[in-house]
Amino acid sequence: MSDELDQLPHTEPVRDPGLPEHQYRPTDVDPAQDKRAERQISGMFTVASLLLVGFCVAYIMIDKDQTFLGWSAMNFTLGATLGGAMLLMGVGIIQWAKKLMGDQEMIELRHPASSSAEDRADTLKQLNDGINESGFGRRPMIRRSLFLSMGFLALPTVIMLRDMGPLPYGHRNTVWKKGMRVVNDVAGTPIKPSDLQVGQLVNAEPAIMYEMDEEGHPVLHGTELLAAKSKAAVIVVRMRPQDISPAKGRENWGVDGILCYSKICTHVGCPISLWEQQTHHLLCPCHQSTFDLADNGKVVFGPAHRPLPQLPLAVDSEGYLIAVSDFTEIVAPSYPELARDQKRLDDKS
Amino acid sequence: MRKLSTRRRHPLAGIAVLLVALGVVGGVYSAVAPEPAKAATASTQDVEAGRQLFLIGCASCHGKNASGIETKRGGNYGPSLIGVGAAAVDFQVGTGRMPMAKTAPQAPKKDPEYTAEETRQLAAYIATLGAGPAIPDDEYTDTSGKTAEQISEGGEFFRTNCTACHNSVGAGGALPNGKYAPALDGVSAKHIAEAMITGPQQMPVFSDDVITPEDKSNIIAYIQQVQDQPNYGGMGGGGLGPVVDGLFTWIIGIGGLVIAAVWIGAHGARVKKK
Amino acid sequence: MSTIDEQTNIEDTAFGKKAAGPVGWLDDRLGLAGASKRSHLLRKVFPEHWSFMLGEIALWSFVVLLLTGTFLTFWFVPSMGETTYNGSYTPLNGVEMSQAFASTLDISFDVRGGLLIRQIHHWSAALFVAAMIVHMLRVMFTGAYRKPRELNWLIGLGLLLLGLVEGFAGYSLPDDLLSGTGLRFVDGLVRSIPIVGSYLEFFIFGGEFPGDLIIPRLYMVHILLIPALLLALIGAHMILLVFHKHTQWPGPGRTEKNVVGYPMLPVYAAKAGGFFFVVFGFTALMGATLQINPIWVYGPYNPSEVTAGSQPDWYMGFVEGAVRIFPNWESTFFNYTWSWNVFLPGAILPGVFLGVGAGWPFIEQWITGDKREHHLLERPRNAPFRTAFIVSGMTAYAVLWIAGGNDIIATQFHLSLNAITWFCRFAFFILPIVMFIITKRICIGLQRADANRILHGYETGVIERSPDGGFSERHAPLPVGKQFTLTNHDRLPVLEAPPETDHNGVAVPHGRMAKLRAKARAFYYDGVVDKPTVEDVHHAEEHLRDHDGHPVELGDEFQGVSETGIPRVH
């Protein structure tokens, strides 16, 4: 070591004094300390054993409804005994290493990560022998056709993923249809305009979500229902008619100041119902896009780009709110074909 | 606030106010307030006492005849209280939101300025100005006999209509420009019901025709359930969700384990001689 | 050592005699002894420093994840099939939900210890990623990624990326309201990918969102695909660590050609093994006392429900923040919709963070032209540009974190949501620059302080009064070991402009690149203080000798503080 250091050029302002002399721990020199550490460590292991037995006792004895400090007693006791035991075992082992195990610092020499020139030459020779014996270099036809087939191997790998899902279909309709009733979410009850006061918000759904087929089963259920909801959920709000400034063509989309908008944010699709009845602003809790419901769902803040789609409303013969048609704008987050689909939708209407 | 308003204590409001109020109410609210006011039980003394309290404490913002004061820009200094009903008064005054201490994005909850008796009198007075929702009774607020099914049904209504603003355990949430949906812990059943019926400040109205009184009491029962039930897993972080979990991860988790690493790597006590 | 006379050899013990047969049998077939001797594994030396244990937190968290995750799979049902809940948690009785959610409720309320294991699993997932980041910052700040460790740095980044995806997949599995909201975001993000977005969406979800396949698919990814990749990469990470031998801090006796520390057996086997128990125990205590992800209050996923304070777990917070503050850009051309407002912050920005991280060792190497192997770590102050660069990256990341929690910050600190958003929009660009400048100045200041301590000694805290009444503080020389430690780093390279023409007057090829590189190098080393030269030290010594008394050898009577600032005790 020191020989090597002496050969270094003396350009450094301070020369390496070398490893300092080893200093001993109290446990190395004082048998009493040594004994004490030993007792301390085995004490930790013993308590850990007791805690682990306690874990089993708690598992058997504690009822899962019991509480402790307003927490589940089971969860707390099992965690505290298990965690305490593990922590004591860990601390004990580390303490053993720190206080009692060998303490002499050791030196290991490093070698460059690279192989020696000799090793490289040897390996290269072996590689060349292998390649030459295979004739890989001399037989380009075999080589190229092998590469070709390997390239083609990618095809089945990719094509096998084809049935991961259907191809995206064109315009994504919602389940809203002309004449479908707007019903209160959860309860499924139809809504009359007179049920709504100015400043009221109703979280609503299309009536089909609460309809039963002939056999008495829901028409939509499970993930089918979720998929329908993720596009068709709406909010119905009532404002003073004079506060609303409908866009051209939308003058008749409301009923006495009652308007219906998609509940699905046009940004990334969170359901939005944080409606401020005085400012008429609707806030998305996920990324804070804000829409003005008195102004055709226009974006007034945040990362959403497209206004919130509005559902044209009317009243049926029994006086309940119904949809005049499906949405005339694409609901839910944007996707690459949106512009094309929107154009088709515009052409249709 | 009440002291400030004393100079407005003119004996101008009287029968004329009542007449004006009734006229406005008849015109605007007959269509939208299908339920008749139930305030008829209050005595005339209560109404008169309420009127006096109103003129002292409320008229400076809401106008001597409670029809509101408009600002020069056309906004509301204090909105009209005609037809808001006893429920609105009981909520706003009973939770200390009114009278407002200072102009702010929204009136915060604070210790009530008025006693329960005074609040009742104020409510009685406002209720006479126009038909509006009455203070909700046991039909809304009695949750003692609720079954698990009813509570669970209330939970479905709560998650659909309430959690978006008030958070899934009622911890509250942010609204634009400094406004917020307040936390629901410690809010009485009556005040929750009143808020749903009247739609205070930015909160929308949830009328009885859409969310029935029984639904409302189920919602209240569910709120009480989630707030009273144990935090099964331990300290809950105020129900604020992953942001608090992240703070705990870094401060307690990484903090604690880095301390352990420092201890493991520490050189420990040394002595000079063997 | 006191135990030296009690030494016994394992082959002489009763256990050793019994084990000799089976061990010999194994060695006959595997040649273990030879392999162990060649790799010097049992007595491999590891240097000791607390910051070298940070990666271990991540490693042990991963082991905890494997153990607790296996337990959870016994009950979890990865299905989106519809079911009606009728378990112990009555407030959800009769509610329609997926089997995934119902089985997670069962784990939480009907399997004894299930909630504990779930919470340990979630806490250690959060800790796994956090520890990886802390470890990564240590490696970055100390230049440990330099040659020959660049590949291990890339493997580490791969582990971090996989950790994020793994965490996200796990977050989505219970199918509660937060998971579903997170998946909804991913659906929006996938859709926003230009041209192929819809195809990817339909292939990933098996149709339109949510479909009924995403949870089984994520389950496979979560418990098989990514854990297998993580295990493989962790293995490679460890093998390279052993092959390169651990880096060490400069100090007396520590050179680029050696490693000084304690042997793997017994010291590090005990310290590292013990640390596993500490990590597990600590996480178990967190699971016992801190509630995480109470899915029962969120309720089952329903696309028309959401809760205020919907956030991803912390490690996705920076993406969430970027998505929140990004302007609402969306454009239409070539008859396609391009959702920049989601695609850029959601997909490109994390890619930029990762790309800069992956490229940094190579960029730095290109700027400095340093092709040597490095095994001695560099103190952050001695690489001011690097340190400032990392701090500015951390600042940008932190701004995104704030943006990701803007609603919580708004309600807890009574601030305006919109004001926080606007603040973050500007701060993302301005604060990193400010922090770069501040950090660099601090580093250079610390370098100057180091040079002062070498040349003029350290301040002893002893104030002396000169005959003419002036007060001065007595300085004392640093111990030689300390002086060496402070100077044991690279001297600044000589910066010179590259020649524009070769000796024949012909323009040098790649002249523009060389110029750019010279500029980058000048910026990289700008203002950096070089360590004192041999002459500086001699000069300072002579200077001090002339001025009587500064510094002096310290006798036993000396009452000031030691070089570490601790008062001397006699």
Side-chain angles (χ1 to χ4, degrees), chain C residues 430-441:
Chain C
I430 296 168
L431 275 188
I433 297 172
V434 173
M435 289 307 291
F436 182 93
I437 295 167
I438 291 175
T439 312
K440 197 165 167 191
R441 292 329 299 181

Side-chain angles (χ1 to χ4, degrees), chain A residues 169-177 227-228 231-232 326-327 329-331 335 341 345 348, chain C residues 208:
Chain A
Y169 13 95
H171 163 52
R172 304 167 184 198
N173 289 301
T174 75
V175 294
W176 284 107
K177 274 200 186 76
K231 290 187 297 182
D326 193 0
F327 288 100
E329 294 152 289
I330 308 275
V331 296
Y335 53 96
D341 289 349
L345 208 57
K348 219 165 70 180
Chain C
E208 268 192 291

Side-chain angles (χ1 to χ4, degrees), chain A residues 1 4-5 10-20 24 27-28 34 55 59-60 62 64 71-72 74-76 78-80 82-84 86-87 89-91 93-94 97-98 101-114 161-169 172 185 205 221-223 226-227 229-231 233 263-264 266-274 283 285-288 290 299 301-306 331-340 343, chain C residues 1-2 40 43-45 80 82 88 109-110 112-113 115-116 119 148-149 181 184-185 188 191 193-195 197-199 201-203 206-212 217 243-248 252-263 266-267 270-271 274-275 277-278 280-282 284-285 287-289 301-306 320 323-324 326 328 330 332 335-337 339 341-342 373 375 406-407 417-418 421-422 480-481 483-484 487 491 531-534 537:
Chain A
M1 260 323 291
E4 198 183 332
L5 284 176
H10 292 179
T11 54
E12 290 303 307
V14 183
R15 298 196 51 194
D16 186 355
L19 268 189
Y24 290 96
T27 44
D28 294 329
D34 180 278
F55 178 94
Y59 186 92
I60 296 162
I62 294 180
K64 39 182 212 296
W71 307 341
S72 154
M74 172 78 92
N75 187 66
F76 174 75
L78 293 187
L82 181 68
M86 299 281 266
L87 209 55
M89 287 162 78
V91 170
I93 295 171
I94 294 166
K98 284 173 68 95
M101 287 184 186
D103 184 43
Q104 202 78 34
E105 277 193 311
M106 296 170 64
I107 298 173
E108 193 176 323
L109 292 184
R110 291 183 191 275
H111 311 283
S114 59
L161 296 176
R162 165 61 189 87
D163 278 345
M164 290 276 288
L167 290 181
Y169 13 95
R172 304 167 184 198
D185 201 351
E205 302 281 2
H221 64 94
T223 48
L226 295 190
K229 268 192 183 175
S230 72
K231 290 187 297 182
K263 195 179 181 178
I264 308 302
T266 57
H267 179 227
V268 288
C270 283
I272 8 177
S273 55
L274 289 78
L283 172 80
C286 292
H287 304 98
Q288 287 91 41
T290 312
V299 178
F301 188 78
H305 178 79
R306 288 179 296 125
V331 296
S334 299
Y335 53 96
E337 298 85 5
L338 178 120
R340 199 185 306 166
K343 200 156 169 295
Chain C
M1 267 169 233
S2 56
H40 199 64
R43 296 286 272 174
K44 192 108 204 152
V45 169
M80 297 167 88
E82 196 184 20
S88 296
F109 290 104
D110 292 298
R112 280 181 281 182
L115 178 61
L116 177 70
Q119 298 206 120
R149 295 183 178 77
T181 308
R184 182 84 233 214
F185 166 71
R191 279 181 182 208
I193 297 170
I195 318 269
S198 298
Y199 289 85
E201 181 202 8
F202 273 60
F203 286 173
E208 268 192 291
F209 177 85
D212 46 16
R217 282 177 183 176
F243 173 66
H244 289 138
K245 301 189 176 83
H246 206 286
T247 51
Q248 61 188 348
R254 286 153 169 86
T255 70
E256 291 283 10
K257 294 192 171 145
N258 71 10
V259 50
V260 180
Y262 295 103
V267 177
K271 284 192 172 177
F275 201 26
F277 286 92
V278 169
F280 201 152
F282 193 81
L285 288 181
T289 54
Y301 179 56
N302 180 334
S304 59
E305 292 173 4
V306 70
E320 174 80 3
V323 172
R324 286 183 181 202
F326 207 80
N328 67 338
E330 183 176 293
T332 304
N335 215 4
Y336 275 106
T337 299
S339 307
N341 54 349
V342 185
E373 279 197 6
H375 302 289
N406 59 2
D407 51 340
L417 192 61
N418 307 48
T421 305
W422 275 108
V480 180
Q483 285 191 31
F484 174 73
T487 55
R491 195 169 283 294
K531 65 182 174 188
T533 60
V534 181
V537 173

Side-chain angles (χ1 to χ4, degrees), chain A residues 183-191 202-206 209-210 225 229 263, chain B residues 149-162 210-211 215 218-219, chain C residues 95 302 304-305:
Chain A
V183 301
N184 190 10
D185 201 351
V186 185
T189 46
I191 304 162
V202 179
N203 291 285
E205 302 281 2
M209 291 184 186
Y210 294 88
L225 177 67
K229 268 192 183 175
K263 195 179 181 178
Chain B
E149 280 64 39
Q150 284 173 311
I151 291 173
S152 150
E153 169 102 1
E156 298 237 51
F157 275 100
F158 182 71
R159 285 191 295 276
T160 302
N161 294 290
C162 316
V210 179
I211 311 274
D215 295 339
N218 289 345
I219 292 173
Chain C
V95 175
N302 180 334
S304 59
E305 292 173 4

Side-chain angles (χ1 to χ4, degrees), chain A residues 23-24 26 29 67 70-72 95 98 103 184-186 195 197 199-201 203 273-278 283, chain B residues 32 160-161 164-165 174 179 199 201-205 207 209-210 230-234 263 266 269-271 273-274:
Chain A
Q23 288 182 314
Y24 290 96
V29 293
T67 57
W71 307 341
S72 154
Q95 191 73 336
K98 284 173 68 95
D103 184 43
N184 190 10
D185 201 351
V186 185
D195 295 345
Q197 300 173 19
Q200 177 139 8
L201 163 84
N203 291 285
S273 55
L274 289 78
W275 188 54
E276 298 192 310
Q277 61 139 317
Q278 291 172 6
L283 172 80
Chain B
V32 291
T160 302
N161 294 290
C165 298
K179 288 162 285 187
Q201 304 194 24
Q202 296 295 354
M203 176 168 164
V205 180
S207 70
D209 296 301
V210 179
N231 265 336
Y232 296 99
W263 170 68
R270 297 283 145 170
V271 285
K273 290 166 198 113
K274 166 128 184 169

